[in-house]
Amino acid sequence: MPHLDRRELAAIAIGGAIGSVIRVWLDLHTTSGPPGWPWTTFAINIGGAFLLGYVATRLQERLPLSSYRRPLLGTGFCGALTTFSTMQVEILRMLDAGRYGLALGYAAASAALGLFAIHLATAFVRRVRVVA
């Protein structure tokens, strides 16, 4: 069994606690809009993908190495802020309601825009021109 670094685990826990509190606050204080498309989850996941792309690229390429920043910000904070498990539940609810097109569109848009958000964030950190 590998050695567990208690400080790394603490960094993940602290980041996760902060990310989850922000996630719940956003969920409670935003409206989801018209029935069907879960805008809050969608926006949080796309924003979280951008933030994770930014953090990962910045920590890897621009800042001195640190044992605890990536677990704190990437695994902990961004992992708790984004909610892909909620996205899966929402897709299952759409499928159960017979809204197959909406479920497919939501899944495809979430994946495509999430990847594009990572691309933008990485380009931003690297200060390169973004080619869409």
Side-chain angles (χ1 to χ4, degrees):
M1 181 170 193
H3 172 71
L4 297 177
D5 184 343
R6 292 179 194 265
R7 291 176 290 184
E8 184 177 358
L9 292 174
I12 293 168
I14 291 166
I18 295 167
S20 61
V21 167
I22 292 172
R23 165 79 174 106
V24 169
W25 186 89
L26 287 169
D27 218 18
L28 292 173
H29 291 88
T30 58
T31 57
S32 61
W37 193 275
W39 285 106
T40 301
T41 303
F42 183 74
I44 289 171
N45 286 344
I46 302 306
F50 180 89
L51 184 60
L52 183 58
Y54 178 88
V55 164
T57 306
R58 181 113 175 123
L59 292 177
Q60 185 70 29
E61 298 178 8
R62 300 279 183 192
L63 295 175
L65 290 178
S66 166
S67 298
Y68 306 110
R69 279 185 265 196
R70 182 174 264 173
L72 173 77
L73 298 172
T75 306
F77 182 78
C78 289
L81 177 67
T82 59
T83 178
F84 293 98
S85 58
T86 300
M87 181 185 87
Q88 293 172 353
V89 169
E90 291 165 344
I91 290 170
L92 287 174
R93 286 182 183 152
M94 292 173 194
L95 292 172
D96 287 344
R99 303 186 78 186
Y100 304 110
L102 184 65
L104 180 62
Y106 180 52
S110 294
L113 288 177
L115 290 170
F116 186 66
I118 293 168
H119 175 70
L120 284 176
T122 300
F124 180 73
V125 171
R126 292 177 177 164
R127 295 177 176 90
V128 298
R129 187 172 182 192
V130 175
V131 178

